[in-house]
Amino acid sequence: KIKTLLMGAILVASTLSAKAQDAKAKTILDKLSKKTESYTSMHADFEYKMLNKEEGINETQKGSLLTQGKKYKFDIAGQVIISDGKTVWTVLEDAEEVQINEVPQGEDNEDYINPVSILTMWEKGFKYKYDSKVTLDGVELDVINLYPEKPDEKSFHTVKLYINQTKMVVSKIEIKGKDGTDFTYNIKTFTPNESIAPSKFTFKQADHPDFEVIDLR
């Protein structure tokens, strides 16, 4: 009986601890969402790393992200993805090609992931749990793990957010792939509320006269 009571006490304590951690994660994420939604625009420069030790893959790229409402410009690994909120242009520099699509609407929009939604990805489709507190480059960060609610539909099992609570920004994102491939985004600079010209969020054919245009709308 004593052993049973002890096991029960340990189980209850573990459950209470997990709930407390989830509450802590929710508090931080709610503050982060509120702060993010207050920005009129965001500009981030980041370092992107893909790592798979088993396959011998270790690649690092630099990129940038510019957002304003639903508009964005995402530049990484030789391709630029631009959207004015209605149309998406994918510019493939090496192939000298641009693909044009419409931003999905209605039910199709539910599974549509764009760079803007990544900034608040925890708000929908994820369970979350507070992990730990770590220090990176002399800065104290809170680590929160995100787990997809429909794991069978995803190619990853965990997303780790490293949050600077002093500035209330995400400093690092790690995506743990099921196949052993991990993706890391280290945010190097982050500037909110810049004044951005609307032309930044449209593709100009005149700037790429030799590019093949493939309209998929």
Side-chain angles (χ1 to χ4, degrees), residues 192-206:
N193 304 322
E194 283 186 342
S195 179
I196 305 170
S199 58
K200 289 284 187 180
F201 303 109
T202 57
F203 173 76
K204 305 178 191 66
Q205 180 67 45

Side-chain angles (χ1 to χ4, degrees), residues 32 43-44 94 108 136:
L32 185 60
H43 182 189
D94 292 342
D108 293 336
L136 294 177

